[in-house]
Amino acid sequence: MQVNEFKPLIVAFCCNWCSYAGADLAGNNRLNYPAEVKIVRVPCSCRVNPMFILRAFQKGADGVILCGCHPGDCHYTSGNYYTRRRMALLFSMLDYLGIEKERTRVEWVSAAEGAKFAATMNDFVEKVISLGENKRLEDLRCKK
Amino acid sequence: MQEIKREDLIAKAAQLLADGTVDRVIGWKKGEFDYDVTPAVFTTKEELENEFVWNDFCGANFSKYIKKEAEKSESKVMAFLKPCDTYSFNQLLTEYKFDREKVYVVGVPCNGMLDDSKIKESASGISSVTEENGKVVVDTLYDGKITLERADVLAERCANCKSKKHAAYDELLGTEGEVLDSKRFDEVEKLEKMTPDERFAFWQNELSRCIRCNACRNICPACTCEKCVFDNPASGVENKAISDSFEEKMFHIIRAFHVVGRCTDCGECSRVCPQNIPLHLLNRKFIKDINGFYGEYQAGAEVGSRAPIVDYTKEDLEPSEAVERGEENA
């Protein structure tokens, strides 16, 4: 058994109406996705303030993924459209500051897409493992 | 040298005070040094004559001062606004931050302001700064007179001026200017062309100088929240953290993000920064992205315009595409 294998911490913000149900479906269907993914349920992907994302990195996340309903399917009609603009600008800014752009992602997952949820998480965790530990947005004060 | 004279500004302010149109005037007064001009409120002609200053260091944007001053009483307040200040003025009106009826705006033309930190690079012990034949003459305590080219000591935001045209005024002194074709995004493009490692090193170097004096936040005409997220002591980013670099990145990303679509690129943040961090490059990145992703938008160009961040279309690009697009520029 490998001893020092890197176990990333992934925070997934999931919208209550689509992606959270999608994660549930993935579980019901016994689809595997890494246990490193910690899901935070939010009422809408639009609830996620850019500060949440940075905060997750501060508290030790190595990757942050935001899942919401497909554009046009928002429970609140337009929440995910705002998310899309907001995150496009935030991710572009993070990239501008030289922070690895693979560490952040937005994915649209519906309640029926359990398989997509599992596949997305597997792919994302793999990406983050290849990047290694989050060094550029870490807060040493929060390290144990 | 500015097109309009100090005497003309004082005469205008004194006239408005005398005929009762306004009872307070927001203007500039001398600070500790010649180059250290500070905003002040004047109520009489005598005060104006004694203390009012109009020179190449009157960079302060009065839009935010108007908000604070307008809240104080029911009477009208007058402010001198340069072209770039009027954009902030419009933006604050768009956000209903003050009553337009309580403000009297006198537009003043601006030929660009000087940056004292650039002058200090070539002169120490500055006792006065004057202008002769289009050149800046600095009188110093130790080295006598030093002559500098105006273009070399012009503030960055003025060298890349976006508009000499006032977006709002009740009365205009001097002549109306034009909206200029500025090269303000050149520096941002240069950074985008670097590799992520180079960019990271660049920003690490710049942002680590931050002392968290909060001057950029306090001066920003777009930062008008009564309660600020950065005042939360539980956030871990309310103060300078000596031990790590997270705090400075968090502060600067979020500070810039909170003014997305509202930042008029007036450049006050960079002007007041005691550490000379190029903060405008963060704001301009957002403006450039908005222009590229969602169409040209200039905050404050007109009252009541809808900022792209509170708007959407069904065909907006995906966040992943936004990052890819940045890569194509590289």
Side-chain angles (χ1 to χ4, degrees), chain B residues 37 57 59-61 65 157 219 267-274 276:
Chain B
V37 177
F57 297 99
N61 179 347
Y65 294 85
R157 60 172 171 169
I219 199 76
E268 285 287 273
C269 43
S270 299
R271 178 182 71 89
V272 297
C273 182
N276 292 324

Side-chain angles (χ1 to χ4, degrees), chain B residues 87-126:
Chain B
Y87 286 84
S88 312
F89 178 81
N90 273 350
Q91 186 56 38
L92 287 168
L93 272 182
T94 304
E95 295 163 19
Y96 308 104
K97 293 294 183 187
F98 54 79
D99 187 355
R100 181 68 179 86
E101 298 304 309
K102 283 164 80 176
V103 188
Y104 193 90
V105 176
V106 174
V108 286
C110 166
N111 287 354
M113 293 293 162
L114 303 184
D115 183 348
D116 58 296
S117 60
K118 284 188 182 170
I119 296 178
K120 281 177 198 160
E121 280 171 20
S122 31
S124 57
I126 303 164

Side-chain angles (χ1 to χ4, degrees), chain B residues 1-9 54-56 83 107-113 131 150 164 166 172-177:
Chain B
M1 192 65 86
Q2 299 297 334
E3 176 190 324
I4 202 127
K5 297 272 169 298
R6 172 179 178 263
E7 290 69 34
D8 300 334
L9 296 187
W54 173 242
N55 61 19
D56 281 345
V108 286
C110 166
N111 287 354
M113 293 293 162
E131 195 156 320
R150 193 178 151 86
K164 298 266 186 220
H166 288 78
L172 185 68
L173 299 176
T175 47
E176 176 99 65

Side-chain angles (χ1 to χ4, degrees), chain A:
Chain A
M1 208 182 125
Q2 229 176 326
V3 189
N4 283 327
E5 199 190 344
F6 168 56
K7 290 261 184 207
L9 177 65
I10 308 290
V11 175
F13 290 102
C14 290
C15 132
N16 178 44
W17 305 100
C18 288
S19 314
Y20 195 77
D24 211 23
L25 187 65
N28 277 337
N29 289 344
R30 303 280 186 270
L31 297 171
N32 281 329
Y33 68 90
E36 288 85 9
V37 178
K38 310 291 180 210
I39 296 178
V40 178
R41 182 162 68 157
V42 286
C44 175
S45 57
C46 187
R47 173 69 185 87
V48 177
N49 178 328
M51 221 158 165
F52 289 10
I53 306 229
L54 297 186
R55 202 79 152 131
F57 283 121
Q58 180 189 19
K59 299 284 181 183
D62 297 300
V64 179
I65 184 164
L66 172 53
C67 301
C69 307
H70 285 269
D73 289 349
C74 180
H75 185 77
Y76 307 100
T77 323
S78 56
N80 51 9
Y81 286 126
Y82 294 110
T83 312
R84 188 158 66 172
R85 283 206 168 186
R86 229 174 264 166
M87 293 305 145
L89 291 170
L90 178 72
F91 292 179
S92 178
M93 174 53 81
L94 289 177
D95 185 45
Y96 183 63
L97 290 186
I99 291 147
E100 303 96 332
K101 60 177 185 292
E102 292 88 355
R103 283 195 197 281
T104 42
R105 193 185 286 189
V106 170
E107 206 69 57
W108 312 121
V109 180
S110 83
E113 294 176 326
K116 184 182 177 185
F117 184 86
T120 303
M121 291 305 158
N122 280 316
D123 180 59
F124 187 58
V125 170
E126 210 172 289
K127 265 272 159 55
V128 173
I129 289 178
S130 72
L131 286 175
E133 245 183 287
N134 163 34
K135 284 283 173 205
R136 297 194 167 177
L137 263 182
E138 69 175 353
D139 192 332
L140 294 170
R141 297 167 297 173
C142 294
K143 293 266 147 143
K144 286 198 188 93

Side-chain angles (χ1 to χ4, degrees), chain B residues 5-294:
Chain B
K5 297 272 169 298
R6 172 179 178 263
E7 290 69 34
D8 300 334
L9 296 187
I10 293 180
K12 174 55 51 194
Q15 178 218 324
L16 288 169
L17 284 173
D19 66 19
T21 313
V22 297
D23 70 353
R24 287 156 299 157
V25 171
I26 306 179
W28 301 268
K29 75 172 185 184
K30 192 175 178 295
E32 202 96 342
F33 304 101
D34 250 21
Y35 51 81
D36 178 26
V37 177
T38 175
V41 176
F42 301 89
T43 50
T44 63
K45 191 180 179 202
E46 289 66 45
E47 274 176 21
L48 282 161
E49 274 164 359
N50 292 336
E51 291 182 325
F52 187 85
V53 170
W54 173 242
N55 61 19
D56 281 345
F57 297 99
C58 294
N61 179 347
F62 288 153
S63 305
K64 195 170 181 177
Y65 294 85
I66 290 176
K67 177 191 175 274
K68 287 182 180 160
E69 207 51 48
E71 279 167 2
K72 284 182 189 166
S73 88
E74 283 305 307
S75 56
K76 230 173 177 175
V77 57
M78 190 272 256
F80 291 110
L81 294 185
K82 304 185 293 304
C84 54
D85 307 345
T86 57
Y87 286 84
S88 312
F89 178 81
N90 273 350
Q91 186 56 38
L92 287 168
L93 272 182
T94 304
E95 295 163 19
Y96 308 104
K97 293 294 183 187
F98 54 79
D99 187 355
R100 181 68 179 86
E101 298 304 309
K102 283 164 80 176
V103 188
Y104 193 90
V105 176
V106 174
V108 286
C110 166
N111 287 354
M113 293 293 162
L114 303 184
D115 183 348
D116 58 296
S117 60
K118 284 188 182 170
I119 296 178
K120 281 177 198 160
E121 280 171 20
S122 31
S124 57
I126 303 164
S127 55
S128 78
V129 182
T130 49
E131 195 156 320
E132 280 170 28
N133 309 323
K135 295 199 175 185
V136 178
V137 179
V138 186
D139 205 0
T140 64
L141 293 175
Y142 319 114
D143 310 316
K145 277 189 186 341
I146 297 175
T147 310
L148 299 165
E149 288 295 333
R150 193 178 151 86
D152 294 340
V153 289
L154 201 59
E156 195 280 338
R157 60 172 171 169
C158 300
N160 293 316
C161 180
K162 64 179 181 293
S163 172
K164 298 266 186 220
K165 185 182 163 69
H166 288 78
Y169 56 80
D170 290 307
E171 190 171 343
L172 185 68
L173 299 176
T175 47
E176 176 99 65
E178 295 286 321
V179 175
L180 304 176
D181 184 20
S182 81
K183 298 199 165 32
R184 58 191 172 130
F185 298 120
D186 284 7
E187 199 75 4
V188 177
E189 271 165 28
K190 222 163 79 191
L191 273 167
E192 283 171 349
K193 287 199 175 79
M194 292 180 179
T195 65
D197 289 339
E198 285 168 350
R199 282 200 294 268
F200 185 73
F202 172 84
W203 283 112
Q204 187 84 333
N205 177 38
E206 296 291 347
L207 298 183
S208 62
R209 295 205 305 273
C210 176
I211 55 171
R212 267 314 286 285
C213 60
N214 285 343
C216 48
R217 179 196 73 177
N218 296 346
I219 199 76
C220 179
C223 283
T224 45
C225 297
E226 296 292 326
K227 276 188 178 169
C228 176
V229 284
F230 295 116
D231 291 335
N232 172 11
S235 67
V237 292
E238 92 289 12
N239 249 322
K240 179 70 186 171
I242 308 161
S243 60
D244 82 323
S245 65
F246 180 83
E247 172 276 326
E248 60 218 24
K249 288 197 209 85
M250 172 86 148
F251 175 72
H252 289 289
I253 295 171
I254 297 296
R255 184 199 64 79
F257 198 93
H258 279 186
V259 297
V260 164
R262 304 189 294 124
C263 170
T264 63
D265 199 11
C266 71
E268 285 287 273
C269 43
S270 299
R271 178 182 71 89
V272 297
C273 182
Q275 298 290 77
N276 292 324
I277 301 171
L279 296 166
H280 58 274
L281 292 180
L282 293 172
N283 297 331
R284 278 186 195 164
K285 167 68 178 167
F286 279 131
I287 296 172
K288 183 171 177 288
D289 279 351
I290 284 176
N291 288 345
F293 299 165
Y294 314 120

